[in-house]
Amino acid sequence: MGRDLHGHEERSFAVDTTPPLGERGWDTAVTEAIVARMRADRSVVLMGLEVSRYRADLIEEFGPLRVIDTPISENGVVGMAVGAARAGLQPIVDLWHASFVYIVMDQLLNGLSLSQGLFGLPAPVVLKMRTGIPVRTPGTTHARMPHWMLAGVPGIDVIYPSCAEDAGPLMAAALRGLRPTIFLEHIDLCKQQPSGPVPQRLEVGEANTVATGADVTVVALGPTVRHALAARAELDGVLDLEVLDLRSLEPLDLDTVLASVRKTRRLVIVDEAPSKTSFAWWLSGAVRAQVPELLAEPRCVTAMEGPIPYSPHGLAPGIVPQPADIVAAARCTASLTTGVTP
């Protein structure tokens, strides 16, 4: 094993591609979706910091003109991708961490999102980035949750898988489209292994009813889906929770959300973002406007306000949503409408 320019021992990112998809983890499934698209379409290029290490044979198979290791210059790399897309390529850009997306907002707002509408030039760029407040967080600058902001940029799709089963098919769906797309991967989920069957094909903008129920609708996204399912298990026999996984924030499958809420007439939304800027608050307003028969005000379970502290040994209680918070919110919606705390 060699050494990099700084004298550090190089890391190997080689993966075993022999197991069937259902036995592969999150990272491998996403990489295989990218490789499959690159094999099918020579216009697809992969660029970003150390992307050649996704798999040991990437450079050998596709060459350095299609697998491009870039400097740490996020704004420049995204600008290069926008220009390449307008010239007929389909770039996939790995920004590594969503906390760095703030550096590229000019390229996103005035370049990528306006390319089709303003210039008539498709810009099928997929921006892949890891997001979230990890259990062991390196501090505020690497614990941003910009999904709420990105979902508000017209002209850009935002995909946010919650499980290893969906990650590969959703990346494949992003690469089939011609719209600019942001593909978010929560840091704590990226080493996850599938726990169920892998869908053969998914489409962007289709929510998933993970568990059906009759009493309270719980809408979750990304890492909060697993917490919603844990809360449902804890309330088994007390309240019957219906759990929805949005899968994507833009386009949003609002019809599925509204249909569920009209059935249960109670709503809890779980979002790992600070309350004032969370996607949960926007969605709660949209539901209130269209479902006047709600029995209680929607409850939003969100992250703490303020900077996320450095916590190498695990997050303190109250920083991000946990199953107990969802249980409390569901109990509250039920007690407000029945007068009895379940």
Side-chain angles (χ1 to χ4, degrees):
M1 187 174 294
R3 294 185 176 273
D4 63 18
L5 294 176
H6 303 286
H8 300 140
E9 190 177 75
E10 291 184 339
R11 296 166 294 169
S12 174
F13 284 78
V15 296
D16 182 2
T17 60
T18 56
L21 184 60
E23 297 177 13
R24 301 177 192 170
W26 181 302
D27 280 342
T28 305
V30 170
T31 298
E32 289 304 299
I34 292 172
V35 169
R37 183 64 181 176
M38 293 180 73
R39 287 172 178 162
D41 187 347
R42 291 183 58 83
S43 71
V44 179
V45 297
L46 176 65
M47 60 180 69
L49 187 64
E50 297 184 339
V51 293
S52 64
R53 299 184 179 189
Y54 274 16
R55 215 175 72 180
D57 61 348
L58 277 184
I59 288 283
E60 180 182 348
E61 180 172 354
F62 299 110
L65 295 182
R66 295 186 64 199
V67 180
I68 307 167
D69 286 323
T70 67
I72 302 176
S73 179
E74 292 83 4
N75 200 44
V77 172
V78 174
M80 180 171 65
V82 173
R86 291 177 179 175
L89 298 180
Q90 185 179 14
I92 306 165
V93 180
D94 192 337
L95 285 182
W96 268 38
H97 207 292
S99 293
F100 305 149
V101 77
Y102 299 93
I103 302 171
V104 306
M105 286 309 296
D106 180 53
Q107 296 290 355
L108 289 182
L109 291 170
N110 296 316
L112 190 58
S113 70
L114 298 180
S115 190
Q116 177 71 60
L118 193 60
F119 303 109
L121 296 172
V125 178
V126 174
L127 298 179
K128 176 179 177 289
M129 60 191 81
R130 296 193 171 183
T131 188
I133 304 171
V135 171
R136 291 174 174 83
T137 175
T140 301
T141 57
H142 286 71
R144 301 289 189 182
M145 295 293 293
H147 58 272
W148 60 272
M149 176 183 68
L150 299 171
V153 178
I156 295 181
D157 290 349
V158 180
I159 298 174
Y160 199 0
S162 70
C163 59
E165 295 91 321
D166 290 354
L170 284 174
M171 173 57 81
L175 294 172
R176 285 195 301 271
L178 292 178
R179 285 172 57 84
T181 301
I182 292 172
F183 188 86
L184 297 170
E185 302 175 291
H186 193 277
I187 294 172
D188 285 342
L189 300 180
C190 287
K191 300 303 178 184
Q192 188 185 74
Q193 298 294 318
S195 58
V198 176
Q200 290 299 309
R201 182 184 176 100
L202 292 176
E203 299 297 337
V204 179
E206 294 181 355
N208 181 29
T209 303
V210 184
T212 59
D215 296 330
V216 181
T217 296
V218 179
V219 175
L221 53 147
T224 64
V225 174
R226 57 181 177 171
H227 299 325
L229 290 172
R232 183 178 190 272
E234 185 173 336
L235 287 171
D236 186 34
V238 180
L239 285 173
D240 190 14
L241 305 187
E242 179 152 293
V243 178
L244 304 185
D245 174 6
L246 290 181
R247 283 182 172 157
S248 66
L249 308 185
E250 179 59 39
L252 174 67
D253 188 359
L254 188 58
D255 289 343
T256 295
V257 175
L258 294 176
S260 176
V261 175
R262 289 189 176 111
K263 178 178 69 173
T264 64
R265 296 197 291 173
R266 302 180 183 93
L267 173 63
V268 173
I269 309 172
V270 195
D271 185 1
E272 195 180 274
S275 60
K276 293 178 182 176
T277 56
S278 68
F279 190 79
W281 281 104
W282 176 87
L283 183 57
S284 68
V287 172
R288 276 200 304 265
Q290 299 192 52
V291 188
E293 62 268 28
L294 281 170
L295 296 175
E297 283 291 302
R299 306 285 296 185
C300 295
V301 181
T302 56
M304 64 171 282
E305 296 287 346
I308 302 301
Y310 172 66
S311 54
H313 304 297
L315 291 170
I319 294 179
V320 296
Q322 297 296 327
D325 304 314
I326 304 170
V327 167
R331 286 179 178 273
C332 183
T333 60
S335 65
L336 287 174
T337 55
T338 64
V340 178
T341 301

